[in-house]
């Protein structure tokens, strides 16, 4: 099934929601109010529905969505003061492990659950299993720090060779060919990858496999497989290394590509190279296919797209939760928080924060699924 996306409407909602964030305690347009109780005292003028949510909610996983989670938590806990949310952001691999071991109420992962992980989840989700709920989309920026260069075009072939230590200098002829007007220095390339198991790594290498299979011979996955290069933990870790290292390049979510980090523009074979923007990522994500079964809503992305204006290096972060068998003490808070972040207002804050909202027809299914969690 092809997904249709109303790009302009989503981005407009994002701009409105973020610009008004300081004036709002929190909101969720699909909800009608909050029940009585101390946890709802600050929610009197909010459309967040706290229900009986209370206590501490533990979660871990994708660092890609950490900036979005932080914004959501601020809004949600302002409304539902009886809830504390602790999201570690230790990486997708850590999140999935914590979930299948029953240590967290939900996990964030930039890759859908593998069959063996679904099987493992059944021991935690009594009578049910872990499911993937797409909640955050966005571009994976390839950020660089090269003195004197403020714009850089690369393609899948050059990126594959850079991250496989086959292209090692910034004035390499292959890079020059893509950037004839740039003054490229005689400077060693410092390529950084994630040291932790990461869904961002998984999605970045899926792009290299799909778009340049002749130059990227690795299987892919959450763990980095190519030899050479340097590593750092988390999206914030690789971003910090790029900021402070002359000649550095790495992959990270767009929200981390700032303060001296410049995103690469990708030559996909379309009529013009494509910039790493929320709108361009949304165009790519809108063409995804649903491949999950039952209540699972995992998506298949086209990393080799050549559509005009579609940014190919994208990811979707899933919130992983039990469809049945959630712990009774954390279920109300889990449902209330997921309900808010899937709402129009929750999704609306994403665009200005460097993320892409999930397409309308899919997020509608996510909302329905959340209401049925037990």
């Amino acid at each position: 099934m092809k997904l249709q996306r109303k790009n302009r409407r989503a981005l407009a909602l994002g701009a409105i929601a973020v610009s008004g964030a300081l004036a709002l305690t929190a909101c969720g347009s699909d909800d009608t109010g909050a029940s009585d109780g101390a946890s709802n005292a600050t929610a009197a003028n909010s459309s967040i529905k706290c229900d009986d949510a209370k206590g501490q909610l533990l979660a871990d996983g994708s660092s890609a969505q950490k900036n979005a989670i932080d914004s959501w938590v601020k809004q949600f806990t302002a409304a539902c003061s009886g809830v504390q949310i602790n999201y570690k952001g230790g990486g997708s691999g850590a999140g999935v492990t914590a979930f299948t071991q029953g240590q967290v109420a939900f996990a964030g992962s930039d890759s859908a659950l593998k069959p063996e992980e679904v099987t493992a989840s059944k021991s935690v989700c009594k009578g049910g299993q872990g499911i993937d709920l797409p909640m955050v989309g966005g571009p994976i920026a390839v950020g660089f720090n090269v003195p004197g260069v403020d714009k850089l075009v690369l393609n899948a072939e050059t990126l594959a060779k850079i991250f496989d230590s086959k292209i090692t200098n910034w004035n390499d002829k292959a890079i020059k060919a893509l950037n004839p007007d740039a003054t490229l220095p005689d400077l060693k390339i410092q390529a950084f990858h994630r040291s932790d198991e990461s869904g961002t790594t998984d999605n970045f290498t899926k792009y290299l496999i799909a778009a340049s299979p002749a130059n990227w011979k690795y299987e892919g996955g959450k763990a980095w497989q190519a030899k050479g290069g340097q590593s750092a933990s988390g999206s914030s870790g690789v971003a910090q290394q790029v900021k402070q290292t002359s000649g550095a390049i790495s992959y990270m979510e767009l929200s981390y590509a700032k303060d001296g980090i410049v995103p690469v523009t990708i030559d996909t074979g379309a009529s013009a190279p494509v910039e790493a923007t929320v709108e361009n990522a949304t165009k790519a994500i809108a063409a995804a296919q649903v491949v999950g079964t039952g209540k699972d809503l995992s998506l298949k992305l086209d990393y080799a797209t050549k559509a005009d204006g579609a940014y190919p290096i994208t990811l979707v972060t899933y919130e992983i939760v039990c469809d049945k068998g959630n712990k009774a003490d954390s279920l109300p808070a889990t449902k209330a928080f997921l309900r808010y972040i899937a709402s129009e207002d929750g999704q609306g804050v994403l665009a200005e924060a460097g993320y892409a909202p999930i397409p309308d027809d899919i997020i509608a299914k996510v909302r329905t699924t959340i209401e049925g969690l037990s």
Side-chain angles (χ1 to χ4, degrees):
M1 173 178 75
K2 293 291 182 181
L3 311 181
Q4 300 301 317
R5 180 64 187 159
K6 301 175 183 177
N7 294 341
R8 294 180 179 175
R9 177 175 174 273
L11 291 172
L13 282 170
I16 293 169
V18 174
S19 65
L22 294 178
L24 297 173
T25 53
C27 48
S29 63
D30 290 354
D31 303 319
T32 57
S35 61
D36 294 335
S39 66
N40 299 317
T42 60
N45 297 316
S46 168
S47 55
I48 283 182
K49 187 177 180 181
C50 300
D51 285 338
D52 298 319
K54 59 183 178 180
Q56 187 177 47
L57 194 62
L58 299 178
D60 194 6
S62 166
S63 65
Q65 69 168 354
K66 184 65 165 59
N67 290 338
I69 288 282
D70 288 347
S71 296
W72 282 331
V73 168
K74 181 179 180 180
Q75 299 298 319
F76 181 81
T77 55
C80 303
S81 59
V83 182
Q84 291 181 327
I85 300 177
N86 181 1
Y87 182 82
K88 290 179 62 177
S92 297
V96 171
T97 298
F99 179 76
T100 56
Q101 293 180 351
Q103 298 172 359
V104 293
F106 71 92
S109 177
D110 307 323
S111 302
L113 290 169
K114 297 178 180 178
E116 60 269 26
E117 293 169 340
V118 173
T119 299
S121 74
K122 293 180 179 180
S123 64
V124 175
C125 307
K126 302 302 182 183
Q129 66 180 49
I131 56 173
D132 301 288
L133 302 179
M135 203 70 76
V136 183
I140 299 174
V142 181
F144 69 96
N145 176 3
V146 179
V149 180
D150 56 10
K151 185 175 182 180
L152 188 69
V153 176
L154 296 175
N155 57 17
E157 179 181 350
T158 55
L159 283 170
K161 291 180 178 180
I162 285 170
F163 282 93
D164 199 24
S165 302
K166 301 292 176 58
I167 293 178
T168 58
N169 201 287
W170 280 111
N171 65 356
D172 187 275
K173 62 182 181 180
I175 301 177
K176 284 184 176 181
L178 291 166
N179 300 273
D181 298 326
T183 302
L184 298 167
D186 182 6
L187 178 67
K188 182 180 179 181
I189 295 174
Q190 307 283 350
F192 286 88
H193 58 266
R194 290 280 291 274
S195 59
D196 53 320
E197 289 201 355
S198 161
T200 311
T201 293
D202 189 17
N203 284 275
F204 178 63
T205 54
K206 281 179 179 176
Y207 159 72
L208 296 177
I209 292 168
S212 189
N215 297 290
W216 195 260
K217 300 294 188 179
Y218 305 97
E219 294 180 358
K222 293 187 181 75
W224 185 257
Q225 296 172 336
K227 306 300 180 183
Q230 303 177 65
S231 65
S233 179
S235 297
S236 59
V238 293
Q240 183 60 36
Q241 290 299 323
V242 174
K243 288 178 188 178
Q244 65 188 26
T245 306
S246 179
I249 187 171
S250 189
Y251 53 93
M252 65 203 74
E253 294 66 46
L254 183 61
S255 63
Y256 291 90
K258 54 187 178 181
D259 301 333
I261 302 176
V262 183
V264 167
T265 299
I266 303 297
D267 183 348
T268 64
S271 61
V274 186
E275 294 182 357
T277 67
V278 170
E279 184 175 15
N280 291 343
T282 299
K283 290 179 182 178
I285 294 171
Q289 293 179 305
V290 177
V291 294
T293 58
K295 294 182 179 180
D296 187 274
L297 296 172
S298 55
L299 306 176
K300 181 179 180 180
L301 302 172
D302 181 7
Y303 299 95
T305 180
K306 295 182 180 180
D308 284 347
Y311 184 78
I313 319 176
T314 59
L315 60 74
V316 169
T317 298
Y318 302 94
E319 311 310 334
I320 296 171
V321 66
C322 296
D323 58 354
K324 298 178 181 178
N326 289 279
K327 294 180 181 179
D329 59 347
S330 61
L331 179 59
T334 299
K335 289 183 71 170
F337 182 64
L338 294 180
R339 179 187 296 122
Y340 162 60
I341 68 178
S343 73
E344 280 195 16
D345 292 307
Q347 289 289 295
V349 306
L350 294 176
E352 286 290 325
Y355 298 96
I358 298 300
D360 289 339
D361 50 350
I362 291 304
I363 203 66
K365 293 180 180 179
V366 170
R367 292 167 187 155
T368 299
T369 301
I370 290 168
E371 295 306 321
L373 298 179
S374 62

